[in-house]
Amino acid sequence: MPETAEQPPATSKTARIKRTPKAPRQELPLLEHEKRTTTPEEVSLGFTLELAHAEALRCLDCKDPKCIDACPLHIDIKAFIARMVESDYAGAAEKIFEESPFPGICGRVCQSELYCEKDCLLGKGKLLPVAIGSLERSAADYYRQRGEAGLPPVAPPNGMRVALVGSGPASLIAAFDLVRKGYKVTILEALHELGGVLAYGIPPFRLPRDIIREELDHLRAMGVEFRTDFIVGKTCTMQELFEAGFDAVFLGTGAGLPHLMGIPGENLIGVYTANEFLTRINLMRAYQFPDSDTPVKVGAHTVVIGGGNSAMDAARWAKRLGSDTTIMFRRGRAELRARLAEVGHVEEEGVKFEFLAVPVRIFGDENGRVCEMECLRMQLGEPDESGRPSPVPMPGSEYRVPVDTIVMAIGQSPNPTVQRATPQLVTNRGKVTIDGGGKTSMERVYAGGDVVRGGSTVILAMRDGRAAAEAIDQALTAERETGLRPGRDGQPAIGAAPSNRIVAKRRLTPEISWLEVEAPEIARHWKPGQFVILRPTAESERIPLTLVDGDPERGTIVLVVQALGKTSRITASLEPGDKLADLLGPLGLPAAIHNAGHVLCVAGGVGTAELLPVAQAFRAAGNHVTVLCGARSTAHIILDEELRAAADEVLWSTDDGSGAFHGNVVELMRAWRGTHPEPLGAAHVIGPIPMMRAAAALTKEWGVPTFASLNPIMVDGTGMCGGCRVTVGGKVRFACVDGPEFDAHQVDFDELTRRTR
Ligand code: FES
């Protein structure tokens, strides 16, 4: 909190200080306008001590305050404001810490106008309610600068352990409540950064990253452990969490699966989901463009579709990236769901609104880039299930708008990874079903937040996390007291992150490296066809690499990487002893291995390495396996010996004719088929898109069922951004969770080519 020369004097706690409820409500000072639309700096600057004191004095000090019950975390608002009135800002922070160690986060992002401020008695008449959210933030800012308040005490260890899956708001508050009661708590996060939606979804101009980090440090100081790059349902199963020694599991995996509208043109270049747009910018620092390894490109005109906080955040980013930006919403201003303060900021920053309109079709130019949008006017009708007036299309009102970038901010569903890997978990339209206390259909598994609600708010997710922590404590305490569940000493088997160390390296060609990497959990769980997402350095983009091998005994996996772009060049240049900054997996679905009789495996370039485990698996399933591979020249042939050990027959083509067959691998396929007319049960193709497209066209002619392992651009690799979407059989699929292997005869290769470009 910025200080002023005229700080209000500290007063005796017993002195009666006159309250001034009729004084005007203080508003947070804002960053100067010029910087607001050009930088990621925080826009709301926070109260000075003087302003905070003046606002605190507006509190009526009600005998029966309604604001406390209205706060989903039941923070003692009356008491913390009373301390501010007495200029005891550290005491105010300490009072908030009794219920929440995250006042800096909640004070910035909670929609207080829907909760505590809505029930503030001052606001029930003609006056505006006390700015409770801003005061909470002021106490947090004071604590950050002075550190004079103490966090609540932690009970001695009770010998019980709880795993919290996902590091978003629901898990964070559950961790706080459980660790205070003596539980050993481990938070498992799939991404490389902690905070869930706070980190990937909310921009730093609304919630600076150091606030998230510092308030997560409160949990660390209380003993909570964190593990990033760990995806439950992939890196381990739910059952394995219990086998590793956890007594209960809380699912706070959020709503990461972005919605699309299902209108023509949605997969054109320049159409983003809000998740992809915000993740690229917030998490992967695309705002540092042109230096960012994960850029996001906006054109001259951006239209953001939606009316929630994500729409406001995306629009404000687009504006900061230099685009003339409009938010298009199918209802009216009164129906916007975003925080009031953000709506105000959006307008102040020059973003326009187009209410009562909806896109129905998107048009692209000859390069597949979005260039125009057809929209329809709406009018408000009867209330729908959300309680808001429903948007009703006006026939014949179609109009077109030129646009270069579109961001779809129309909501999300729960990320399906844990649910798909845990069929015992009862769900309803993707949302995990719970009872009143947060318990799921599985013993000792609880859930809360967006994985239960679908997309909701940070503070409601925290309320759920708190309720589930209470239920977990009650259930485990009862078991402990009846002797059913004795406490244990020592660490659970899951906790410490693996080293991600390179233990061996081979140069297969000057550009292609074979790396053996220490990754015991991935080595234990991988299957042919799956991939990992890695970052060689903490500044790098996240890139997918197909798993080539994995040895559970040695606890290592094998990756083969071709130095093509910046990140793959850094990865290919790593040497034994070096460590990857991040490694997440195994991701995606395994290849569909079955006994088809005779299987044709086709690969080009570095795809040859990715084909190896698939060929091995088909052979192990009893198939006769023929492998056809293409390389530029004999000098570029890789893993020939391994392939020959894995298949019944291996043939190479080389572009320059230096090998046995002069031509590309599709020409080799045709030539091979000329002498092998016997029935083929299946084909599997991996490699550059033009090669997969041509190979698939050929096997379609032959009537051979064919799978292609697709390689679209990925950001998170967990189904969260929608950047990897491909059209298969007319349906949009996410390659990272629905693939990467798809029916090659159904893939829209034209679109894949455009999007990969
Ligand atoms: Fe983000 Fe697949 S959904 S990479």
Side-chain angles (χ1 to χ4, degrees), residues 714-717 719-724 734 736:
M714 293 190 186
V715 181
D716 58 289
M720 199 187 85
C721 73
C724 65
F734 290 1
C736 68

Side-chain angles (χ1 to χ4, degrees), residues 480-515:
R480 203 167 54 235
E481 283 173 359
T482 52
L484 277 174
R485 185 148 282 262
R488 279 163 297 200
D489 296 326
Q491 295 285 332
I494 290 169
S499 71
N500 301 340
R501 193 170 55 91
I502 314 295
V503 295
K505 174 176 185 175
R506 285 161 59 193
R507 276 256 181 228
L508 301 181
T509 73
E511 305 92 36
I512 300 179
S513 297
W514 177 102
L515 302 171

